Amino acid sequence: MDLSYTDEELAFRDEVRAFMRDELPKEMSDKIRLGDELGKEGQEKWHAILNSKGWLAPNWPKKFGGAEWNAVQRHIFEEEAAAHHAPRIVPFGLSMLAPVLQKFGSKEQQDYWLPRLLEGKDWWCQGYSEPGAGSDLASLKTRAVREGDHYIVNGQKTWTTLGQHANMIFCLVRTDPDVKQQEGISFLLIDMNTPGIEVRPIILLDGTHEVNEVFFDDVKVPVENLVGEENKGWTYAKYLLTHERTNIAGVGFSQAGLNTVKRIARAEMAGGKPLMANPHFAARVAQVEIDLKAMATSNMRIISAAAAGGAPGVEASMLKVKGTIIRQEINDLARRAVGPYAMPFASEAIEGSNEALPDPHEAGPVAAQYFNNRKLSIFGGSNEIQRGIIAKVMMGGGQ
Amino acid sequence: MNFDLTEERQMLQDSLRRYLREKYSTATRNEILERPNGMSEEVWTQLAELGVIGAMFTEEQGGFGGAGFDIAVVFEELGRAGVIEPFMDSALIGGRILAACDKTDLVEEMIGGGLQLAVAHGEPTSRYDMSHVRTSVDGGKLNGRKAVVMNAENADHLIVSARASGDVADEAGIALYLVAKDAAGLTIQGYPLLAGGRAAEVTLDGVEGELLTEDGFAVLSDVMALATMAQCAETLGAMDTATRLTNDYLGTRKQFGRPIGTFQALAHRMADMLIEMEQARSAVINAAGNLREETRIRDMNISAAKNLLGRAGRLIAEESIQMHGGIAMTQEYELAHIAKRITMADHRFGDTDHHLERFIALSAA
Ligand SMILES: Cc1cc2nc3c(=O)[nH]c(=O)nc-3n(C[C@H](O)[C@H](O)[C@H](O)COP(=O)(O)OP(=O)(O)OC[C@H]3O[C@@H](n4cnc5c(N)ncnc54)[C@H](O)[C@@H]3O)c2cc1C
């Protein structure tokens, strides 16, 4: 048992640190620290910076142009990225679709789509959920009917994250309605500029435009955009989900968030003393910190097992549940810490003046983030669904 | 003991609930949320005509209510519908301060629906400490900065607290002034609030005001007791809406071929929410029913309610969103607004921890 990083891992961490220090533009990290949106251009710029270092696709095999990092390296990168307030890597194309194409895609699909992903030529979004198919994804209804060289797609997807920026969407569609639900689903790549597609914004409760509804009305999709075999889409979708769950614990985000909470609470005064010296607030912070320390080790234990070849199964569900609880608790502490200044909306300047919104601690819109991050326990398989998996597997069902 | 509302209060509750159900739909409210002044004058006037403001004042003050339960009834209904018009800050806090300072004409105007007020008391570093006042008064001129002043831009007059004597956190030596909205040296920088309505940072640079009282703390602590109780009632109403929406949704939303409420993992949590609702209702009744008791008893009940509502409110807001799934995350859906109202209420008049500490201190006294 050795809880410290090896020399090699430490050297890697130093390299990542130096990269973040030298290459991460300050205006980007400032935006992320204050909870602002980077926008499409900013996000693409960050991808390009990572790509020029060969770090845009940490989980891809080298033969496809990836960094082929092991799980510990990936973890180190994620931790340093969060600590330096680096933008996220938009996951839909690079870490969700790409592994599916690498494993199940045709040679033509791999040769065409994978380099474009690294070069930032396409922005992908994920078309899984539908109004009637959330947790029960296999009940999805969007229909694709083969007609000659095309599929004709009709139906609706929803909650499509950043679909407003996307030119491509990967979709689960129903190709056979007469068999068991899971056996009639296919995996299609659809060009968002095809006639018959309409994207409508959904505004979230914190005022952000992050998700969309996507409507399909007789949309023609060439058959070469089918991934793998017809009616085998559920298998690919499940494979993709295991990749959706990397960095699922969000330890780096939690650590960065906790540091922010402490910074605010040292400056904020309550009853003539810093809030951090208030026993009730200090106890709340300590409680989360204790949980986070254990979580970080759980995360490393599971990651090391995965690095050694064991596949994280039910443990990933455990990390998801506890990791999101901790992140949400930290968001809650941040909104408590700023007191009455949690109430103002948005991070723009006050109308009619150049002054920033009142925010004595430069905390950013912490209450908006608190609300936005309620999503963490809903998407990617809700925490209830994860608990169901844990119980089923551990109580004797197998996976 | 009798827990029924009096006939007058029952009538007020019924008419207010009917009005809000018919005239204050989610769509209407969401449209008002987008308005530059953050409110609807029409709703304000019509609610004043219904007697909503009059119910906040005693007969001697020109109203027809003014007791704890009158105020609780009104604010519970406002909370149930997620009303964003500034009844709390303008009518209740502003109006009752003026009533305590015998500004009879202005109170009459307020009850008629023709006046808007703002109370500029909190400061950038005061957090929830009511006696923390740094804004100074010198030769009748006010200097300082006030933080997150609700309704400041719409107000005809601001009520400003200032330190006439003593140290920054002393209860003695806080005076209250009435300042006209166009007074020289007054700067108001407004912004929207996350849960609706608007507030502002107010800067006073040699502003002249009319002295209302030299014993500002006594007035403030009485009025803030009322307001904190009213806030609890408002949050109770909002929690009731969240609970009802969630209950309905669990019965209608189907996944895996059955209503999600049939999953025991959700059903038990729904039951917990309903249990907490009963606790919250009782805590508000305790607070409203003890408003005329001696200060220590009054404040213990108020702090108990604010602490309990803070905890139960968080549970209900978070669980309601979680058990709805994605739909609750959308601005268009009623629950999104209601959940924000519940959570942001924890940032007014002292949060859950503040009132826990106050309860401990009062219990030991
Ligand atoms: C911000 C955001 C971004 C998203 N981005 C995307 C995206 O890019 N692409 C995409 O395809 N999807 C996306 N989603 C959709 C997300 O995956 C779904 O919201 C999620 O699957 C839950 O589905 P639902 O919202 O329909 O809730 P429902 O499935 O209706 O669930 C409602 C409640 O019931 C519970 N529940 C359901 N079944 C059970 C059960 N068997 N036992 C116990 N409890 C149960 C749930 O846990 C939840 O609490 C996003 C969602 C959000 C909020």
Side-chain angles (χ1 to χ4, degrees):
Chain A
M1 190 76 57
D2 182 1
L3 291 181
S4 43
Y5 286 132
T6 63
D7 287 347
E8 239 170 274
E9 286 161 352
L10 284 175
F12 177 72
R13 190 182 65 185
D14 289 343
E15 192 189 355
V16 176
R17 271 191 194 162
F19 174 80
M20 292 294 169
R21 198 185 49 226
D22 300 339
E23 305 296 332
L24 171 61
K26 185 167 171 345
E27 75 267 13
M28 267 188 205
S29 55
D30 280 350
K31 273 197 170 174
I32 298 297
R33 190 169 52 80
L34 292 178
D36 280 355
E37 289 298 312
L38 264 197
K40 186 178 186 184
E41 244 172 68
Q43 196 62 62
E44 286 175 337
K45 189 172 160 199
W46 176 236
H47 283 187
I49 292 171
L50 286 170
N51 192 41
S52 60
K53 175 84 179 166
W55 285 1
L56 181 57
N59 54 330
W60 294 14
K62 287 218 167 82
K63 68 167 177 176
F64 292 116
E68 205 174 326
W69 285 340
N70 65 28
V72 176
Q73 285 173 305
R74 256 157 35 206
H75 174 74
I76 289 172
F77 179 81
E78 278 150 9
E79 210 164 32
E80 292 303 321
H84 288 85
H85 305 288
R88 280 157 42 97
I89 296 176
V90 179
F92 307 107
L94 287 155
S95 39
M96 294 186 188
L97 174 66
V100 172
L101 290 181
Q102 287 160 11
K103 191 160 167 81
F104 303 106
S106 66
K107 175 91 174 52
E108 292 72 35
Q109 285 171 339
Q110 291 173 351
D111 289 347
Y112 185 72
W113 296 112
L114 295 176
R116 289 175 64 88
L117 264 169
L118 293 178
E119 289 156 18
K121 288 199 171 131
D122 300 312
W123 186 300
W124 287 89
C125 61
Q126 179 187 24
Y128 274 26
S129 305
E130 298 180 3
S135 298
D136 184 11
L137 185 59
S139 70
L140 61 92
K141 290 201 168 65
T142 297
R143 188 80 168 88
V145 179
R146 174 95 187 243
E147 275 181 21
D149 292 343
H150 287 87
Y151 287 102
I152 308 296
V153 179
N154 280 288
Q156 183 197 343
K157 294 294 173 183
T158 192
W159 308 122
T160 322
T161 299
L162 300 182
Q164 71 267 35
H165 299 329
N167 64 313
M168 292 298 298
I169 181 169
F170 57 91
C171 282
L172 292 181
V173 294
R174 184 153 305 285
T175 32
D176 188 345
D178 300 322
V179 289
K180 194 170 162 249
Q181 278 183 342
Q182 286 80 351
E183 287 160 15
I185 293 171
S186 298
F187 196 109
L188 273 189
L189 313 177
I190 303 179
D191 185 336
M192 303 275 284
N193 294 316
T194 320
I197 295 185
E198 194 196 337
V199 180
R200 287 188 209 153
I202 299 176
I203 304 302
L204 292 185
L205 79 178
D206 60 337
T208 52
H209 175 197
E210 193 176 300
V211 296
N212 303 272
E213 298 177 289
V214 183
F215 295 87
F216 299 85
D217 181 14
D218 283 335
V219 174
K220 278 178 82 174
V221 181
V223 283
E224 58 265 28
N225 281 13
L226 173 75
V227 175
E229 289 174 50
E230 201 175 87
N231 295 328
K232 287 278 161 58
W234 189 249
T235 313
Y236 314 147
K238 281 207 302 196
Y239 179 78
L240 181 151
L241 275 180
T242 62
H243 285 269
E244 190 178 353
R245 294 204 200 135
T246 54
N247 193 22
I248 201 160
V251 172
F253 293 119
S254 287
Q255 196 56 60
L258 195 62
N259 292 343
T260 304
V261 167
K262 287 185 182 174
R263 182 176 61 75
I264 299 169
R266 279 194 289 266
E268 171 83 5
M269 297 299 281
K273 286 181 301 193
L275 181 61
M276 204 56 215
N278 174 293
H280 293 105
F281 194 79
R284 286 184 188 275
V285 173
Q287 210 67 90
V288 180
E289 191 165 0
I290 288 167
D291 287 348
L292 180 57
K293 275 173 162 307
M295 164 105 265
T297 299
S298 303
N299 194 43
M300 288 312 295
R301 280 198 294 128
I302 290 163
I303 280 171
S304 304
V314 70
E315 292 87 355
S317 296
M318 294 180 174
L319 291 178
K320 160 95 206 291
V321 173
K322 198 66 199 178
T324 54
I325 290 173
I326 291 173
R327 276 179 76 183
Q328 291 176 335
E329 190 61 30
I330 290 168
N331 285 133
D332 182 70
L333 287 178
R335 69 137 182 108
R336 281 176 203 274
V338 296
Y341 279 115
M343 291 188 281
F345 184 38
S347 50
E348 294 130 44
I350 297 180
E351 279 160 50
S353 92
N354 290 325
E355 288 202 36
L357 259 188
D359 179 4
H361 309 308
E362 279 216 320
V366 289
Q369 284 164 9
Y370 161 84
F371 287 112
N372 187 281
N373 271 348
R374 299 316 304 170
K375 71 188 175 192
L376 297 178
S377 47
I378 296 173
F379 65 18
S382 74
N383 282 12
E384 288 73 27
I385 294 299
Q386 306 293 351
R387 288 189 183 97
I389 294 171
I390 296 165
K392 192 171 161 201
V393 173
M394 301 307 277
M395 294 167 78
Q399 225 166 348
Chain B
M1 278 208 185
N2 175 5
F3 289 108
D4 296 334
L5 290 177
T6 61
E7 207 174 309
E8 294 83 44
R9 288 177 187 145
Q10 188 64 58
M11 275 167 59
L12 178 62
Q13 183 183 61
D14 291 346
S15 62
L16 185 49
R17 193 177 294 186
R18 196 173 328 113
Y19 172 89
L20 291 170
R21 194 182 293 145
E22 285 165 12
K23 299 278 174 61
Y24 208 80
S25 66
T26 305
T28 306
R29 206 247 343 280
N30 286 354
E31 181 269 310
I32 300 172
L33 277 169
E34 301 292 321
R35 292 190 192 176
N37 66 347
M39 66 172 287
S40 156
E41 280 96 351
E42 196 192 346
V43 168
W44 182 270
T45 315
Q46 290 178 354
L47 286 179
E49 281 164 11
L50 273 183
V52 162
I53 303 178
M56 298 180 199
F57 297 86
T58 64
E59 276 175 34
E60 305 87 79
Q61 293 168 335
F64 53 84
F69 289 112
D70 298 306
I71 292 166
V73 161
V74 164
F75 279 92
E76 185 180 337
E77 292 314 310
L78 296 175
R80 193 185 307 285
V83 171
I84 61 170
E85 278 65 22
F87 288 97
M88 173 73 75
D89 294 277
S90 186
L92 183 67
I93 306 179
R96 290 290 296 247
I97 289 175
L98 291 187
C101 300
D102 298 321
K103 300 294 287 180
T104 327
D105 295 355
L106 288 177
V107 172
E108 198 180 310
E109 233 184 288
M110 171 60 73
I111 291 173
L115 184 71
Q116 285 291 345
L117 295 171
V119 180
H121 175 52
E123 299 184 355
T125 55
S126 61
R127 197 171 167 87
Y128 303 123
D129 303 334
M130 213 164 48
S131 62
H132 180 114
V133 175
R134 203 180 285 281
T135 296
S136 64
V137 52
D138 193 11
K141 305 243 182 191
L142 302 162
N143 285 291
R145 170 156 170 215
K146 296 293 185 176
V148 201
V149 180
M150 302 285 168
N151 200 39
E153 300 152 300
N154 293 324
D156 302 301
H157 303 276
L158 279 76
I159 296 165
V160 178
S161 61
R163 181 146 300 285
S165 65
D167 262 355
V168 64
D170 287 353
E171 292 180 2
I174 298 172
L176 296 179
Y177 288 83
L178 191 65
V179 171
K181 66 170 175 191
D182 48 7
L186 181 71
T187 316
I188 296 177
Q189 293 184 309
Y191 44 80
L193 298 170
L194 190 60
R198 291 179 67 85
E201 300 302 286
V202 173
T203 317
L204 302 130
D205 185 7
V207 174
E208 271 189 56
E210 173 195 339
L211 180 68
L212 289 170
T213 174
E214 284 180 334
D215 194 0
F217 189 82
V219 173
L220 280 171
S221 67
D222 282 350
V223 174
M224 292 304 176
L226 267 183
T228 310
M229 185 281 296
Q231 182 65 66
C232 290
E234 185 183 329
T235 305
L236 178 71
M239 285 160 62
D240 196 47
T241 298
T243 305
R244 186 179 49 74
L245 287 170
T246 306
N247 203 7
D248 291 351
Y249 195 74
L250 291 186
T252 49
R253 171 69 170 172
K254 286 191 179 155
Q255 288 289 277
F256 304 100
R258 49 196 261 207
I260 55 175
T262 61
F263 296 118
Q264 205 172 51
L266 303 189
H268 280 193
R269 285 152 66 189
M270 187 68 228
D272 280 339
M273 282 172 56
L274 293 164
I275 294 168
E276 289 304 318
M277 273 311 295
E278 294 305 321
Q279 286 286 88
R281 180 167 300 286
S282 295
V284 171
I285 290 172
N286 286 344
N290 282 291
L291 263 182
R292 290 195 172 142
E293 290 296 324
E294 55 157 304
T295 314
R296 192 178 78 93
I297 302 295
R298 176 193 76 183
D299 288 349
M300 272 180 72
N301 279 283
I302 285 172
S303 281
K306 192 68 169 56
N307 172 269
L308 193 144
L309 272 282
R311 289 182 290 127
R314 180 186 177 194
L315 177 98
I316 285 177
E318 292 184 352
E319 289 286 69
S320 294
I321 293 175
Q322 180 66 26
M323 295 202 281
H324 270 82
I327 186 80
M329 295 288 298
T330 61
Q331 192 162 60
E332 260 185 23
Y333 187 58
E334 179 70 9
L335 178 62
H337 175 70
I338 292 291
K340 285 189 278 183
R341 298 288 297 178
I342 295 171
T343 309
M344 288 299 104
D346 195 35
H347 294 267
R348 302 224 59 195
F349 315 115
D351 67 5
T352 313
D353 288 354
H354 174 90
H355 283 282
L356 181 69
E357 285 169 13
R358 189 163 172 259
F359 184 86
I360 294 170
L362 290 165
S363 307

